């Protein structure tokens, strides 16, 4: 498959930020999960298998269309 996929940069602002990948298709399901501690950075990508990324916890999120900050789980 030769397609350009967007990357998402996620930087944890607190310990215990969860990053969850969700599948494509008729049934949306969790397919991957990571836990980040404060200061850790993850670079994620939307693919033929990943249609959405869910983030729980306080994190800085950077995409090609802008930057935003998620709120703390507490």
């Amino acid at each position: 498959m030769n397609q350009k996929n967007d990357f998402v940069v996620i930087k944890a602002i607190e310990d215990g930020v969860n990053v969850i990948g969700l599948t494509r298709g008729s049934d949306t399901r969790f397919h991957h999960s990571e836990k980040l501690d404060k200061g850790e950075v993850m670079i994620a990508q939307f693919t033929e298998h990943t249609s959405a990324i869910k983030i729980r916890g306080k994190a800085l999120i950077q995409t090609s269309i802008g930057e935003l900050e998620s709120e703390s789980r507490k």
Side-chain angles (χ1 to χ4, degrees):
M1 176 176 253
N2 188 12
Q3 79 181 67
K4 181 180 178 233
N5 296 312
D6 285 334
F7 289 89
V8 177
V9 177
I10 303 151
K11 181 179 181 182
I13 298 174
E14 65 183 5
D15 286 341
V17 172
N18 287 306
V19 180
I20 304 161
L22 297 119
T23 62
R24 292 190 186 277
S26 58
D27 293 327
T28 301
R29 298 173 193 239
F30 296 133
H31 74 81
H32 188 81
S33 178
E34 292 287 336
K35 185 177 269 188
L36 303 177
D37 286 330
K38 185 176 181 177
E40 290 185 320
V41 174
M42 180 175 181
I43 301 171
Q45 183 179 32
F46 292 100
T47 67
E48 63 184 274
H49 301 293
T50 304
S51 65
I53 298 170
K54 179 177 180 176
I55 300 167
R56 283 190 182 147
K58 190 165 185 160
L60 176 65
I61 303 146
Q62 297 175 323
T63 72
S64 61
I65 60 170
E67 181 177 292
L68 65 143
E69 191 173 300
S70 61
E71 295 184 13
S72 182
R73 294 174 34 170
K74 299 170 181 143

